[in-house]
Amino acid sequence: MRVLVPFDASDPNTRLAPVLDDRAAFAEAMLADVLAAIRNGDHEPVVLATESVDVDARVRVDDRPLSPAVNAALAEATLPVAVVMSDLPLVGADTIRRLVETAGEVVLAPGLGGGTNALVVRDSGFRVDYHGGSYRTHRQRARECDLTHATVDSFRLALDVDTPDDLGEVLLHGEGQAAAWLREAGFELDESDGRATALRRSDS
Amino acid sequence: MRVLVPFDASDPNTRLAPVLDDRAAFAEAMLADVLAAIRNGDHEPVVLATESVDVDARVRVDDRPLSPAVNAALAEATLPVAVVMSDLPLVGADTIRRLVETAGEVVLAPGLGGGTNALVVRDSGFRVDYHGGSYRTHRQRARECDLTHATVDSFRLALDVDTPDDLGEVLLHGEGQAAAWLREAGFELDESDGRATALRRSDS
């Protein structure tokens, strides 16, 4: 299946600014993990980027905001098509297979906090709206369009890296470039207060 | 399969104190959801409580801390046995079936933050230690005991209700008594800032 991976190439992961010097490099490491997972799951990634990026995958450039850019790609795509966010570094080939093999005209993977981290669209009438609590919006839209819909129950798909708190999960569960990048940048897993946290060696 | 459900009957969910007047009633609603999920999944719940509680299930009372209480129950149990935390109100019958049907002498479901929210034990040599980052500890122990181990990738098992932030997820995804309890207590889902939050009507 073709899997679109939206990627904000201009200003990624703004909420990580307080802890990461080079957010762009980390964002690219996460993107590389997602692309590898899709490919290892025997599917075909297409990066949907806000500007040209140098990655090992087909790139479609669209500088509009996320929802219109995804909807334009959906309108032109041969269905079924999947959309998987680029900030999901825990996703592996098995996760992608579970997503793609879940039956339903619309398949949704909720993110922590009510977003939609991944979806599969098998009906040409469905359009996305990532604004606000998009998981609820998308479920509602599927109902309004009278489409069968299902939810994928996955921690690896739910964990989008958004805030510094999420980096501990990457160090604990990640096996790809994003986890390696954090380690090289000096972060290590700290569980001394009972909660997985990414601590920079120089901070400790 | 027998499923042990540890339950702190004396002082549950301390971190919810700032927002919940009656933490005990909410803890019991979450416990009821977990017990219903286990039963609807055709398994047998046994509550492992710190003191006597009035619930619709067999109760084993053990006032020791979590790890020794669970280990004593494991030592006496006919294997396989599962242990599922009581503060997982998103868990349904399907989630329990996925957990129980995952192969492995030790099966682990990580919680957000590095804990172990559920596990299945099929070897009498395995003992738990919930202190600190227990997911990593349990994986390490399984390796040391030369046991096959697997991880269940489930958002519903990962989401333990610990802080006020987690209540938004309960309102968004919960379908049982815990979600109903929150609604009756005046909470409603607010996604106006783009993140699922539980807001009390009187606060808004």
Side-chain angles (χ1 to χ4, degrees), chain A residues 147-171:
Chain A
L147 302 175
T148 59
H149 57 284
T151 294
V152 179
D153 173 30
S154 166
F155 170 60
R156 290 182 175 271
L157 281 167
L159 200 283
D160 44 310
V161 173
D162 186 30
T163 70
D165 280 353
D166 303 322
L167 300 180
E169 305 286 351
V170 181
L171 288 173

Side-chain angles (χ1 to χ4, degrees), chain A residues 98 113 153-156 169 196, chain B residues 113 153-156 169 196:
Chain A
R98 265 184 70 210
D153 173 30
S154 166
F155 170 60
R156 290 182 175 271
E169 305 286 351
Chain B
D153 173 31
S154 166
F155 170 61
R156 291 182 174 271
E169 305 287 351

Side-chain angles (χ1 to χ4, degrees), chain A residues 112 153-156 158-159 169 173 195, chain B residues 87-91 95 109-118 152-162 166:
Chain A
L112 272 164
D153 173 30
S154 166
F155 170 60
R156 290 182 175 271
L159 200 283
E169 305 286 351
H173 300 288
R195 193 161 183 90
Chain B
D87 56 353
L88 308 174
L90 302 190
V91 163
T95 333
L112 272 165
T116 307
N117 284 356
V152 179
D153 173 31
S154 166
F155 170 61
R156 291 182 174 271
L157 281 167
L159 201 281
D160 44 310
V161 174
D162 185 30
D166 303 322

Side-chain angles (χ1 to χ4, degrees), chain B:
Chain B
M1 191 183 297
R2 180 159 300 176
V3 183
L4 295 167
V5 184
F7 181 67
D8 179 356
S10 45
D11 190 22
N13 302 110
T14 47
R15 296 175 69 184
L16 294 177
V19 295
L20 291 192
D21 305 323
D22 191 352
R23 285 180 282 138
F26 181 62
E28 279 166 28
M30 293 199 289
L31 173 64
D33 286 344
V34 172
L35 298 178
I38 294 166
R39 231 180 249 117
N40 293 337
D42 293 318
H43 295 282
E44 183 205 351
V46 176
V47 178
L48 178 60
T50 51
E51 57 192 62
S52 167
V53 281
D54 182 22
V55 289
D56 182 25
R58 250 189 66 203
V59 178
R60 174 189 166 112
V61 174
D62 190 326
D63 63 2
R64 285 175 290 180
L66 181 60
S67 298
V70 169
N71 282 331
L74 284 180
E76 289 171 28
T78 307
L79 299 180
V81 67
V83 184
V84 175
M85 293 301 148
S86 65
D87 56 353
L88 308 174
L90 302 190
V91 163
D94 288 350
T95 333
I96 296 293
R97 281 193 207 104
R98 265 184 71 210
L99 169 73
V100 163
E101 287 166 9
T102 301
E105 287 166 309
V106 176
V107 175
L108 301 168
L112 272 165
T116 307
N117 284 356
L119 53 82
V120 177
V121 180
R122 295 191 171 91
D123 184 280
S124 59
F126 188 81
R127 290 293 176 268
V128 298
D129 178 1
Y130 285 102
H131 184 79
S134 70
Y135 174 69
R136 198 158 60 147
T137 306
H138 289 147
R139 236 175 17 169
Q140 183 65 26
R141 284 194 173 189
R143 269 191 223 107
E144 285 164 5
C145 301
D146 218 11
L147 302 175
T148 59
H149 58 285
T151 294
V152 179
D153 173 31
S154 166
F155 170 61
R156 291 182 174 271
L157 281 167
L159 201 281
D160 44 310
V161 174
D162 185 30
T163 69
D165 279 352
D166 303 322
L167 300 179
E169 305 287 351
V170 180
L171 288 173
L172 180 56
H173 300 287
E175 288 157 8
Q177 293 192 32
W181 190 94
L182 286 175
R183 285 195 191 94
E184 265 178 47
F187 287 93
E188 46 190 40
L189 184 60
D190 179 83
E191 301 189 301
S192 56
D193 76 341
R195 194 163 182 87
T197 310
L199 206 70
R200 223 169 189 160
R201 270 194 297 276
S202 54
D203 302 341
S204 59

